[in-house]
Amino acid sequence: RPKPFNRLQIILQHLKMSKQTDSTAEVLLEKKGGAGIITLNRPKALNALNLSMIRQIYPQIKTWEKDPETFLIIIKGTGGKAFCAGGDIRAITDAGKVGNNLAQDFFKEEYTLNNAIGTCKKPYVALIDGITMGGGVGLSVHGHFRVATEKTVFAMPETGIGLFPDVGGGYFLPRLSGKIGYYLALTGFRLKGRDVLKAGIATHFVESEKLPALEKDLIALKSSSTENIADLLNSYHMKVNLISYQKSSRLVKYILFSGNSMEEIVKNLKQDGSPFAIKQLETINKMSPTSLKLTLRQLREGASMSLQDVLTMEYRLSQACVRGPDFYEGVRAVLIDRDQSPRWKPAALEEVSDEFVDDCFKPLGSNDLKL
C-alpha cells in the first residue's frame, strides 16, 4: 500500500494536471505529439495576461526546453478574437494605488518570461491570430516564428496610458526597417493583417481558417530542427509582395520619426505638413508627454543593447511609471471611466525635463531585474 503522504502527492499531482487541461483554466498547457502547446484561455478578457498565467507558463517552457521528447512549443489564444490583448493593466494599477507588491512582481516575472521566450532553445511558434498588443507582443515577438493572419491586429499602445512599449519593445522596435518601430511605439498605430508581416513583426502569413491544419502538421513533425518547422510554415505561407512595400512611400514617411528628441520629431512633422504628418501630430498630442520622452530614449538606447539589458532597463522604467501619476490617469481615462480625456502631468513635452527622464533610467540597486 502506498504511504499516505505518497498517495496525497499522487492525488495532488493528478489535480494539478487536470486543472491545466480543465476548460475553465486561464491557461491550458498540453503535450501533443512532439509539441508543447500553450493556450491562453481568457476569451472574455481577450486573453489578457495576468500574474497567475505567467507563473504557469514560465516553468512549463523551462521544462519543455529540457525535455528530449518535446520538439517545439506552440502558443495560441482561444475565442477567435484575440491572441492576447495585453497585460492585466487594471490589476497592476489597483495594486499600485495601495502600495501592493504586484506592480513589482508582475513586471519582473513578465519580463523574465519574455527573456525565456527570447532565449528558448526549442523552436517557438506563436499563432498571432486576432488582437496582439502589449503583453501579447511580449509572448510572441521574441520567439523564432510568428504567424500572422488576416485577423491580426498588432499594436503597442502604451504611450496612451502613461506607460511605454515594454516587454522588450526597446529591443525589437528599433530593429524594424526604416523608422517604422519608432512610429509604432510613439503613436500606438495598429497594423493589420499582411502589414504585420510586411513590417517585419511576423515571420509568416497564413489564412486564419488554415491554422488548425497547420497546428496538426506541426504536432505531427518527427524532428526538432528549425529548418523542418520553417519548411512547413513556408508551405502554408501566403507570399506577400515585400519589395514594393519596402520601396513604397509608406516607409519613407516614417523617416519623420528620426529626430534626436521628441521636440525635433514634432518639428519634423509640422514642417512636413502632409495629411499623414498632421494626423500623427494629432495622435502624439493625445499621448502622455512623459511616456513619449521615455519611449524615444528607450528605443534609441535599446537599438544597440542585448534583449537582457533592454528588459533590465524596461523594468527600471516600469517602476518609474508606477511611481508617477500618468499611468494611473491613463488607465482611468482609457480603461475605467473611458472618457478618453486623460489629464497628463506634466501636460507638455517642454515640461518633461531631461533630469527627470535620466532619473527614470537609473539602476534600482538590489531591486533591479536580474536575468
Short mmCIF file of all heavy atoms in Angstrom, two decimals, residues 96-130:
data_model
loop_
_atom_site.label_atom_id
_atom_site.label_comp_id
_atom_site.label_asym_id
_atom_site.label_seq_id
_atom_site.Cartn_x
_atom_site.Cartn_y
_atom_site.Cartn_z
N GLY A 96 -0.96 49.14 -7.40
CA GLY A 96 -0.03 50.27 -7.24
C GLY A 96 -0.59 51.35 -6.35
O GLY A 96 0.13 51.96 -5.56
N LYS A 97 -1.90 51.58 -6.45
CA LYS A 97 -2.54 52.64 -5.64
C LYS A 97 -2.46 52.34 -4.15
O LYS A 97 -2.39 53.25 -3.35
CB LYS A 97 -4.02 52.77 -6.04
CG LYS A 97 -4.22 53.51 -7.35
CD LYS A 97 -5.70 53.52 -7.72
CE LYS A 97 -5.89 53.94 -9.15
NZ LYS A 97 -7.22 53.57 -9.65
N VAL A 98 -2.49 51.07 -3.80
CA VAL A 98 -2.45 50.71 -2.37
C VAL A 98 -1.07 50.24 -1.93
O VAL A 98 -0.90 49.70 -0.84
CB VAL A 98 -3.53 49.64 -2.03
CG1 VAL A 98 -4.92 50.19 -2.23
CG2 VAL A 98 -3.34 48.37 -2.85
N GLY A 99 -0.08 50.45 -2.80
CA GLY A 99 1.30 50.11 -2.44
C GLY A 99 1.57 48.61 -2.38
O GLY A 99 2.47 48.14 -1.70
N ASN A 100 0.75 47.83 -3.09
CA ASN A 100 0.91 46.38 -3.14
C ASN A 100 2.13 46.01 -4.00
O ASN A 100 2.51 46.75 -4.88
CB ASN A 100 -0.38 45.82 -3.75
CG ASN A 100 -0.46 44.33 -3.72
OD1 ASN A 100 0.46 43.65 -4.15
ND2 ASN A 100 -1.57 43.81 -3.23
N ASN A 101 2.72 44.85 -3.75
CA ASN A 101 3.91 44.41 -4.50
C ASN A 101 3.63 43.95 -5.92
O ASN A 101 4.55 43.68 -6.67
CB ASN A 101 4.58 43.24 -3.77
CG ASN A 101 5.51 43.74 -2.69
OD1 ASN A 101 5.82 44.93 -2.65
ND2 ASN A 101 5.95 42.86 -1.82
N LEU A 102 2.35 43.81 -6.28
CA LEU A 102 2.02 43.26 -7.59
C LEU A 102 2.70 44.02 -8.73
O LEU A 102 3.16 43.42 -9.70
CB LEU A 102 0.50 43.25 -7.82
CG LEU A 102 0.05 42.70 -9.18
CD1 LEU A 102 0.33 41.21 -9.29
CD2 LEU A 102 -1.42 42.97 -9.44
N ALA A 103 2.79 45.35 -8.59
CA ALA A 103 3.40 46.14 -9.66
C ALA A 103 4.88 45.79 -9.85
O ALA A 103 5.41 45.93 -10.95
CB ALA A 103 3.24 47.63 -9.37
N GLN A 104 5.54 45.34 -8.79
CA GLN A 104 6.93 44.88 -8.94
C GLN A 104 6.94 43.46 -9.48
O GLN A 104 7.62 43.17 -10.46
CB GLN A 104 7.63 44.88 -7.57
CG GLN A 104 7.92 46.27 -7.05
CD GLN A 104 8.50 46.23 -5.64
OE1 GLN A 104 8.54 45.21 -4.97
NE2 GLN A 104 8.95 47.38 -5.18
N ASP A 105 6.15 42.59 -8.84
CA ASP A 105 6.17 41.17 -9.21
C ASP A 105 5.73 40.94 -10.65
O ASP A 105 6.35 40.18 -11.38
CB ASP A 105 5.25 40.36 -8.28
CG ASP A 105 5.71 40.39 -6.83
OD1 ASP A 105 6.88 40.79 -6.59
OD2 ASP A 105 4.93 40.05 -5.93
N PHE A 106 4.65 41.62 -11.05
CA PHE A 106 4.11 41.39 -12.39
C PHE A 106 5.15 41.72 -13.46
O PHE A 106 5.46 40.89 -14.31
CB PHE A 106 2.84 42.22 -12.63
CG PHE A 106 2.24 41.98 -13.99
CD1 PHE A 106 1.33 40.96 -14.19
CD2 PHE A 106 2.60 42.76 -15.08
CE1 PHE A 106 0.78 40.70 -15.45
CE2 PHE A 106 2.08 42.51 -16.35
CZ PHE A 106 1.16 41.49 -16.54
N PHE A 107 5.69 42.94 -13.41
CA PHE A 107 6.66 43.34 -14.44
C PHE A 107 7.91 42.47 -14.40
O PHE A 107 8.43 42.05 -15.43
CB PHE A 107 7.03 44.82 -14.29
CG PHE A 107 5.93 45.77 -14.69
CD1 PHE A 107 5.33 46.59 -13.75
CD2 PHE A 107 5.49 45.85 -16.00
CE1 PHE A 107 4.30 47.48 -14.11
CE2 PHE A 107 4.48 46.72 -16.37
CZ PHE A 107 3.87 47.54 -15.41
N LYS A 108 8.37 42.18 -13.20
CA LYS A 108 9.60 41.38 -13.05
C LYS A 108 9.41 40.00 -13.66
O LYS A 108 10.23 39.51 -14.42
CB LYS A 108 9.97 41.28 -11.56
CG LYS A 108 11.43 41.01 -11.30
CD LYS A 108 11.82 41.29 -9.85
CE LYS A 108 12.63 42.56 -9.70
NZ LYS A 108 13.19 42.77 -8.36
N GLU A 109 8.28 39.37 -13.32
CA GLU A 109 8.04 37.99 -13.80
C GLU A 109 7.64 37.97 -15.28
O GLU A 109 7.98 37.04 -16.00
CB GLU A 109 7.01 37.30 -12.90
CG GLU A 109 7.55 37.11 -11.49
CD GLU A 109 6.62 36.36 -10.56
OE1 GLU A 109 6.03 35.35 -11.00
OE2 GLU A 109 6.47 36.78 -9.39
N GLU A 110 6.93 39.01 -15.72
CA GLU A 110 6.58 39.09 -17.15
C GLU A 110 7.84 39.23 -18.00
O GLU A 110 8.01 38.54 -19.01
CB GLU A 110 5.64 40.27 -17.40
CG GLU A 110 5.20 40.35 -18.86
CD GLU A 110 4.32 41.55 -19.17
OE1 GLU A 110 4.45 42.60 -18.49
OE2 GLU A 110 3.53 41.47 -20.12
N TYR A 111 8.74 40.11 -17.59
CA TYR A 111 9.97 40.32 -18.38
C TYR A 111 10.88 39.09 -18.33
O TYR A 111 11.57 38.78 -19.29
CB TYR A 111 10.72 41.55 -17.89
CG TYR A 111 9.97 42.87 -18.02
CD1 TYR A 111 10.50 44.06 -17.51
CD2 TYR A 111 8.73 42.94 -18.64
CE1 TYR A 111 9.82 45.27 -17.62
CE2 TYR A 111 8.05 44.14 -18.75
CZ TYR A 111 8.59 45.31 -18.24
OH TYR A 111 7.92 46.50 -18.35
N THR A 112 10.86 38.38 -17.20
CA THR A 112 11.64 37.13 -17.09
C THR A 112 11.08 36.10 -18.08
O THR A 112 11.84 35.37 -18.73
CB THR A 112 11.59 36.60 -15.65
OG1 THR A 112 12.07 37.63 -14.77
CG2 THR A 112 12.45 35.36 -15.47
N LEU A 113 9.76 36.07 -18.23
CA LEU A 113 9.12 35.18 -19.21
C LEU A 113 9.48 35.61 -20.63
O LEU A 113 9.79 34.77 -21.49
CB LEU A 113 7.60 35.19 -19.00
CG LEU A 113 6.76 34.45 -20.04
CD1 LEU A 113 7.16 32.99 -20.19
CD2 LEU A 113 5.26 34.55 -19.70
N ASN A 114 9.45 36.92 -20.91
CA ASN A 114 9.84 37.42 -22.24
C ASN A 114 11.25 36.97 -22.59
O ASN A 114 11.53 36.55 -23.72
CB ASN A 114 9.79 38.96 -22.29
CG ASN A 114 8.42 39.55 -22.01
OD1 ASN A 114 8.32 40.64 -21.46
ND2 ASN A 114 7.36 38.84 -22.35
N ASN A 115 12.14 37.03 -21.60
CA ASN A 115 13.53 36.61 -21.82
C ASN A 115 13.62 35.10 -22.06
O ASN A 115 14.40 34.64 -22.90
CB ASN A 115 14.40 37.01 -20.62
CG ASN A 115 15.86 36.69 -20.86
OD1 ASN A 115 16.45 37.12 -21.84
ND2 ASN A 115 16.44 35.90 -19.98
N ALA A 116 12.80 34.32 -21.34
CA ALA A 116 12.79 32.86 -21.52
C ALA A 116 12.36 32.51 -22.95
O ALA A 116 12.88 31.58 -23.57
CB ALA A 116 11.85 32.21 -20.52
N ILE A 117 11.43 33.28 -23.49
CA ILE A 117 10.97 33.07 -24.87
C ILE A 117 12.07 33.46 -25.85
O ILE A 117 12.37 32.75 -26.81
CB ILE A 117 9.66 33.86 -25.14
CG1 ILE A 117 8.52 33.27 -24.31
CG2 ILE A 117 9.32 33.85 -26.64
CD1 ILE A 117 7.28 34.16 -24.20
N GLY A 118 12.72 34.59 -25.56
CA GLY A 118 13.79 35.09 -26.44
C GLY A 118 15.03 34.21 -26.46
O GLY A 118 15.80 34.24 -27.42
N THR A 119 15.23 33.43 -25.39
CA THR A 119 16.43 32.57 -25.31
C THR A 119 16.07 31.08 -25.42
O THR A 119 16.93 30.24 -25.23
CB THR A 119 17.17 32.81 -23.96
OG1 THR A 119 16.24 32.58 -22.89
CG2 THR A 119 17.70 34.23 -23.85
N CYS A 120 14.80 30.79 -25.70
CA CYS A 120 14.33 29.40 -25.73
C CYS A 120 15.10 28.56 -26.74
O CYS A 120 15.27 28.96 -27.90
CB CYS A 120 12.83 29.38 -26.05
SG CYS A 120 12.11 27.74 -25.87
N LYS A 121 15.58 27.41 -26.29
CA LYS A 121 16.39 26.55 -27.16
C LYS A 121 15.53 25.70 -28.10
O LYS A 121 16.02 25.16 -29.08
CB LYS A 121 17.30 25.65 -26.31
CG LYS A 121 18.39 26.45 -25.60
CD LYS A 121 19.26 25.57 -24.72
CE LYS A 121 20.34 26.39 -24.01
NZ LYS A 121 19.76 27.33 -23.02
N LYS A 122 14.26 25.58 -27.79
CA LYS A 122 13.35 24.83 -28.67
C LYS A 122 12.65 25.83 -29.60
O LYS A 122 12.31 26.94 -29.18
CB LYS A 122 12.28 24.08 -27.85
CG LYS A 122 12.86 23.01 -26.93
CD LYS A 122 13.24 21.75 -27.69
CE LYS A 122 14.13 20.81 -26.86
NZ LYS A 122 13.37 19.96 -25.95
N PRO A 123 12.41 25.44 -30.86
CA PRO A 123 11.67 26.34 -31.76
C PRO A 123 10.33 26.73 -31.14
O PRO A 123 9.63 25.88 -30.59
CB PRO A 123 11.49 25.51 -33.03
CG PRO A 123 12.59 24.51 -32.98
CD PRO A 123 12.80 24.20 -31.53
N TYR A 124 10.01 28.01 -31.22
CA TYR A 124 8.83 28.57 -30.55
C TYR A 124 7.96 29.22 -31.63
O TYR A 124 8.41 30.11 -32.34
CB TYR A 124 9.33 29.59 -29.52
CG TYR A 124 8.28 30.23 -28.64
CD1 TYR A 124 7.99 29.73 -27.36
CD2 TYR A 124 7.60 31.38 -29.05
CE1 TYR A 124 7.06 30.34 -26.54
CE2 TYR A 124 6.66 32.00 -28.23
CZ TYR A 124 6.40 31.48 -26.98
OH TYR A 124 5.48 32.09 -26.15
N VAL A 125 6.73 28.75 -31.75
CA VAL A 125 5.83 29.22 -32.81
C VAL A 125 4.62 29.91 -32.18
O VAL A 125 3.85 29.28 -31.45
CB VAL A 125 5.34 28.03 -33.68
CG1 VAL A 125 4.46 28.54 -34.83
CG2 VAL A 125 6.51 27.21 -34.22
N ALA A 126 4.46 31.20 -32.44
CA ALA A 126 3.32 31.95 -31.92
C ALA A 126 2.30 32.15 -33.04
O ALA A 126 2.64 32.68 -34.09
CB ALA A 126 3.78 33.29 -31.36
N LEU A 127 1.07 31.71 -32.79
CA LEU A 127 0.00 31.89 -33.78
C LEU A 127 -0.76 33.15 -33.39
O LEU A 127 -1.66 33.12 -32.54
CB LEU A 127 -0.92 30.66 -33.78
CG LEU A 127 -0.21 29.30 -34.01
CD1 LEU A 127 -1.20 28.16 -33.93
CD2 LEU A 127 0.54 29.28 -35.35
N ILE A 128 -0.35 34.29 -33.96
CA ILE A 128 -0.89 35.58 -33.52
C ILE A 128 -2.13 35.95 -34.34
O ILE A 128 -2.14 36.91 -35.10
CB ILE A 128 0.19 36.70 -33.50
CG1 ILE A 128 0.91 36.84 -34.85
CG2 ILE A 128 1.20 36.44 -32.39
CD1 ILE A 128 1.81 38.08 -34.94
N ASP A 129 -3.17 35.16 -34.13
CA ASP A 129 -4.44 35.33 -34.83
C ASP A 129 -5.32 36.25 -33.99
O ASP A 129 -5.61 35.94 -32.85
CB ASP A 129 -5.08 33.93 -34.96
CG ASP A 129 -6.30 33.92 -35.85
OD1 ASP A 129 -6.34 34.69 -36.81
OD2 ASP A 129 -7.21 33.10 -35.59
N GLY A 130 -5.73 37.39 -34.54
CA GLY A 130 -6.55 38.33 -33.77
C GLY A 130 -5.70 39.40 -33.09
O GLY A 130 -4.56 39.64 -33.47
#
